[in-house]
Amino acid sequence: MNRLVSLIIPCYNEEESLDYLYAALAEVSAGLPQYRFEFLFVNDGSRDGTLDKLKALAQADPRVVYYSFSRNFGKEAAMYAGFCNAAGDYIAVMDADLQDPPSLLPQMLADLESGDYDSVATRRVSRAGEPPVRSFFARMFYRLIHRISDADMMDGARDFRLMRREMVDAILAMGEYNRFSKGIFGWVGFRTKWLPYENVERVAGTTKWSFWKLVKYSIDGIINFSQVPLSLAAWGGVGLTLVSFLMILLVIVRKLLFGDPVDGWASLVCIITFIGGVQLFCMGIMGQYLAKTYLEVKGRPHFIVSQTNAPNPTRIR
Ligand code: UDP
Ligand code: MG
């Protein structure tokens, strides 16, 4: 029996890209007759004609399976839904906008077949066509996370990767609510080959990521995969306490030597606002972790599928 390859494609308002993507997938799969394919499209609560497009594609090609969410749950939830429902021996995640070139698939499959790797991941070696500010902050993020987290994340890493079943099972075992895939992929380990390629601009439509959404996403990544900010808060507290002991000594000595003149109002105000700021900042850090914990503890489902053409779907998980 030929091996089954599952391609998971999260789609949010992608009606303009889907035809190009499907054409590319049809071409690549035709060139790989030794494999069977299933195309798992996850419609992440799109507001445009994405779902109708998917239904039409599914009518025409039985390999097309769609899962349509009851609202927008985010790309992470869409990928998770894909993993939950993928039956393949090899499983890949791929963007709908052709920024993850399907033409890399034959090479990726060959690398897995060689038996030396469990996963082939892609990373962009250029960020052409991206605003420079965005590239700069992206680079800063990877440098920071590399220092403060065990989950190794590669600069320029895409979510586009092909994995063996074993690795996907490990990813499914990580049922956390706050999902940060780049961290999850790194955390589970396995032998990964990195495939560099030049950045491709999206074929149609517009990016779903604003600058602030990316900033929030990177903060999520740090909080989800590192405890260092918490220790920073603790060490900052220890440092400030030591400083305050020195100040107390200084004040006592000054009182003994020079009496007790009433001045220093300005410095007092500075100290109070500074300490107040540091305290609020540290409480904010704790609050971030607490908020994550709160969401985890509630154990709400990651996604809700309201429409699908799959025979036995995982609808809610
Ligand atoms: N996406 C999604 N849900 C969202 C946002 C994005 O499923 O809430 C999908 C989107 O349809 C695309 C992929 O995630 O297939 C990557 O999004 P995009 O191309 O906008 O991001 P970029 O490539 O600019 O980082
Ligand atoms: Mg894109």
Side-chain angles (χ1 to χ4, degrees):
M1 188 77 156
N2 291 350
R3 286 180 178 258
L4 176 65
V5 180
S6 307
L7 301 181
I8 298 168
I9 303 138
C11 308
Y12 178 51
N13 297 343
E14 297 284 5
E15 66 175 341
E16 291 159 66
S17 322
L18 284 177
D19 285 333
Y20 299 102
L21 175 73
Y22 179 74
L25 291 179
E27 191 190 321
V28 168
S29 54
L32 292 162
Q34 67 274 40
Y35 295 101
R36 290 176 299 131
F37 282 85
E38 60 173 3
F39 307 130
L40 308 179
F41 289 90
V42 182
N43 173 32
D44 184 13
S46 301
R47 291 166 195 280
D48 63 357
T50 299
L51 180 57
D52 297 332
K53 264 262 151 62
L54 291 178
K55 284 181 174 165
L57 286 177
Q59 281 283 316
D61 184 341
R63 297 174 300 175
V64 173
V65 187
Y66 63 85
Y67 299 88
S68 187
F69 285 176
S70 59
R71 64 168 170 86
N72 179 255
F73 281 88
K75 185 185 176 189
E76 293 291 343
M79 290 195 287
Y80 189 59
F83 289 138
C84 291
N85 284 290
D89 304 291
Y90 300 131
I91 297 165
V93 184
M94 184 183 273
D95 282 5
D97 56 7
L98 284 176
Q99 279 191 299
D100 298 333
S103 55
L104 293 176
L105 276 174
Q107 160 86 55
M108 293 163 90
L109 280 163
D111 283 331
L112 284 196
E113 289 290 356
S114 76
D116 296 334
Y117 300 101
D118 301 303
S119 136
V120 183
T122 57
R123 82 191 175 89
R124 301 186 283 180
V125 286
S126 70
R127 284 175 171 269
E130 198 184 61
V133 191
R134 197 165 143 174
S135 307
F136 172 76
F137 279 104
R139 221 162 266 138
M140 296 286 289
F141 168 76
Y142 284 107
R143 280 199 7 213
L144 181 69
I145 199 83
H146 187 71
R147 299 186 63 159
I148 64 175
S149 172
D150 326 323
D152 60 335
M153 298 178 210
M154 185 75 98
D155 186 3
R158 305 273 311 170
D159 289 332
F160 181 32
R161 60 164 79 209
L162 183 71
M163 291 167 276
R164 276 181 204 285
R165 179 86 244 164
E166 292 83 344
M167 182 161 170
V168 172
D169 287 341
I171 290 168
L172 282 173
M174 297 181 75
E176 60 216 74
Y177 187 78
N178 298 286
R179 299 186 78 76
F180 186 75
S181 285
K182 288 180 208 306
I184 291 176
F185 292 148
W187 194 92
V188 295
F190 291 93
R191 299 165 300 171
T192 299
K193 174 175 176 171
W194 288 95
L195 207 63
Y197 73 101
E198 294 286 326
N199 189 31
V200 188
E201 290 190 47
R202 68 161 35 242
V203 58
T206 50
T207 176
K208 312 300 174 297
W209 292 91
S210 67
F211 183 72
W212 284 111
K213 245 175 132 178
L214 279 174
V215 170
K216 268 180 66 184
Y217 189 58
S218 50
I219 293 178
D220 275 353
I222 292 172
I223 305 257
N224 288 340
F225 280 92
S226 171
Q227 270 85 272
V228 169
L230 278 177
S231 347
L232 275 185
W235 285 112
V238 171
L240 271 176
T241 311
L242 288 179
V243 171
S244 76
F245 280 134
L246 291 180
M247 294 292 281
I248 290 169
L249 272 180
L250 188 85
V251 168
I252 292 175
V253 171
R254 216 172 60 168
K255 153 99 183 149
L256 293 178
L257 292 185
F258 305 109
D260 190 17
V262 181
D263 61 3
W265 182 84
S267 53
L268 203 61
V269 168
C270 293
I271 292 168
I272 289 174
T273 49
F274 173 70
I275 305 278
V278 171
Q279 279 175 339
L280 277 182
F281 179 65
C282 294
M283 269 171 62
I285 293 178
M286 287 190 347
Q288 288 291 319
Y289 283 89
L290 186 64
K292 300 272 172 203
T293 314
Y294 181 55
L295 282 175
E296 293 296 343
V297 167
K298 279 200 278 196
R300 286 186 177 162
H302 298 78
F303 60 83
I304 299 169
V305 173
S306 59
Q307 292 185 58
T308 172
N309 64 338
N312 297 308
T314 303
R315 282 177 176 275
I316 301 177
R317 175 139 154 203

Short mmCIF file of all heavy atoms in Angstrom, two decimals, residues 95 97 99 158 202, ligand 2:
data_model
loop_
_atom_site.label_atom_id
_atom_site.label_comp_id
_atom_site.label_asym_id
_atom_site.label_seq_id
_atom_site.Cartn_x
_atom_site.Cartn_y
_atom_site.Cartn_z
N ASP A 95 1.08 26.90 4.52
CA ASP A 95 0.21 28.07 4.41
C ASP A 95 -0.57 28.03 3.10
O ASP A 95 -0.14 27.41 2.14
CB ASP A 95 1.03 29.36 4.44
CG ASP A 95 1.47 29.72 5.84
OD1 ASP A 95 1.20 28.92 6.75
OD2 ASP A 95 2.08 30.79 6.01
N ASP A 97 -1.12 30.57 1.18
CA ASP A 97 -0.79 31.65 0.26
C ASP A 97 0.42 31.34 -0.62
O ASP A 97 0.99 32.24 -1.23
CB ASP A 97 -0.54 32.93 1.04
CG ASP A 97 0.54 32.76 2.09
OD1 ASP A 97 1.18 31.70 2.11
OD2 ASP A 97 0.75 33.69 2.89
N GLN A 99 3.35 30.78 0.23
CA GLN A 99 4.64 31.22 0.77
C GLN A 99 5.46 30.02 1.22
O GLN A 99 6.66 30.11 1.44
CB GLN A 99 4.44 32.18 1.95
CG GLN A 99 4.14 33.58 1.50
CD GLN A 99 4.21 34.56 2.65
OE1 GLN A 99 3.46 34.45 3.61
NE2 GLN A 99 5.11 35.51 2.56
N ARG A 158 9.88 28.47 9.42
CA ARG A 158 8.48 28.54 9.05
C ARG A 158 7.75 27.42 9.79
O ARG A 158 8.38 26.50 10.29
CB ARG A 158 8.31 28.33 7.54
CG ARG A 158 9.12 29.26 6.69
CD ARG A 158 8.40 30.53 6.40
NE ARG A 158 7.04 30.30 5.93
CZ ARG A 158 6.15 31.27 5.80
NH1 ARG A 158 6.47 32.50 6.10
NH2 ARG A 158 4.94 31.02 5.38
N ARG A 202 3.45 36.36 -0.73
CA ARG A 202 2.17 35.66 -0.87
C ARG A 202 1.56 35.91 -2.24
O ARG A 202 1.70 36.98 -2.82
CB ARG A 202 1.23 35.97 0.28
CG ARG A 202 0.72 37.35 0.33
CD ARG A 202 -0.54 37.56 1.18
NE ARG A 202 -0.74 36.81 2.39
CZ ARG A 202 -1.75 35.96 2.56
NH1 ARG A 202 -2.61 35.74 1.60
NH2 ARG A 202 -1.90 35.33 3.70
MG MG B 2 1.81 34.21 4.40
#
